[in-house]
Amino acid sequence: MSEINRILALPVMTDEDCASLRELALAMPSDEVPADPAFIARKLEYVAATLPFKNVDQRAGQKRMAVYIRILSGYSEEAVSFMAINACKLHDWFPTPRQCIEILESYVPPQSKRDDILKICAAHVENSFDAFKKSLATGTVEPAAINSRPQRWLRILVEQGLLRFENDQFVQRRRPEHVPE
């Protein structure tokens, strides 16, 4: 994490710094940790205490609980809590597994540190591309500086008419001279 903080503290981030930062962010563990079965059971008990079941005996209720836990495993504690609260708000009866999944599909997890860092990297790349595009549109750029850029950028700039592919390399298009009438 200290390397991430070091890069984020730089006054000016280079493309290499951005690539390192992105790599570090992608290696970060996910903030979303699946809820354990005991947690899911507690949340289902909360819902069951609030909403009635439709005619179920105790044995069938235990089997049903096991099915619900299996279906809800893999979701984070925050998502399962969201589902439990919203099930109580939205339903008059204990929800079916499908209804639980529908509620979970509307859950939006909070943005993680990893997401924040990846957004910073995306903004840096976008700003670098825009600056490079502007330099092509307003001046002369050396062929080595052009061909050191990502291939994806170069193909986009060919489509936009700022570059052309000639003799196995990308070269800047000449701006037409303005001819007075």
Side-chain angles (χ1 to χ4, degrees):
M1 197 63 154
S2 62
E3 180 64 9
I4 290 173
N5 291 334
R6 184 194 69 76
I7 294 171
L8 290 174
L10 292 172
V12 176
M13 188 183 323
T14 66
D15 292 341
E16 292 78 20
D17 294 329
C18 181
S20 296
L21 186 61
R22 185 174 189 283
E23 196 173 302
L24 290 166
L26 291 173
M28 291 174 73
S30 173
D31 289 348
E32 292 277 315
V33 177
D36 68 357
F39 180 86
I40 296 170
R42 282 194 307 276
K43 291 302 175 181
L44 291 172
E45 288 168 358
Y46 165 81
V47 176
T50 308
L51 301 174
F53 277 103
K54 292 183 179 177
N55 299 334
V56 176
D57 63 30
Q58 185 175 355
R59 184 173 163 86
Q62 290 171 341
K63 287 181 180 179
R64 180 179 291 194
M65 186 68 78
V67 170
Y68 276 82
I69 289 172
R70 182 171 174 103
I71 289 170
L72 299 175
S73 66
Y75 289 97
S76 69
E77 287 186 0
E78 293 81 9
V80 173
S81 294
F82 173 85
M83 183 277 308
I85 290 168
N86 283 286
C88 293
K89 288 179 181 178
L90 300 171
H91 298 284
D92 295 327
W93 295 91
F94 196 91
T96 64
R98 183 183 52 121
Q99 290 170 322
C100 291
I101 297 297
E102 287 172 356
I103 293 169
L104 285 164
E105 286 174 351
S106 67
Y107 173 71
V108 179
Q111 192 158 318
S112 68
K113 176 80 170 170
R114 177 184 182 185
D115 294 335
D116 291 339
I117 293 169
L118 291 174
K119 278 187 177 182
I120 291 168
C121 291
H124 173 81
V125 170
E126 185 176 347
N127 291 338
S128 295
F129 176 78
D130 290 344
F132 179 61
K133 181 178 171 180
K134 184 177 181 181
S135 69
L136 287 170
T138 59
T140 303
V141 179
E142 294 296 319
I146 292 172
N147 288 288
S148 68
R149 300 300 178 152
Q151 289 291 310
R152 188 170 142 255
W153 287 16
L154 301 177
R155 289 190 304 272
I156 291 169
L157 293 168
V158 166
E159 292 297 320
Q160 292 181 353
L162 292 170
L163 296 176
R164 68 179 191 282
F165 192 72
E166 179 179 285
N167 299 326
D168 294 330
Q169 66 177 352
F170 291 91
V171 294
Q172 188 173 5
R173 282 193 185 270
R174 309 245 187 289
R175 291 189 310 257
E177 298 294 325
H178 180 69
V179 179
E181 295 179 21

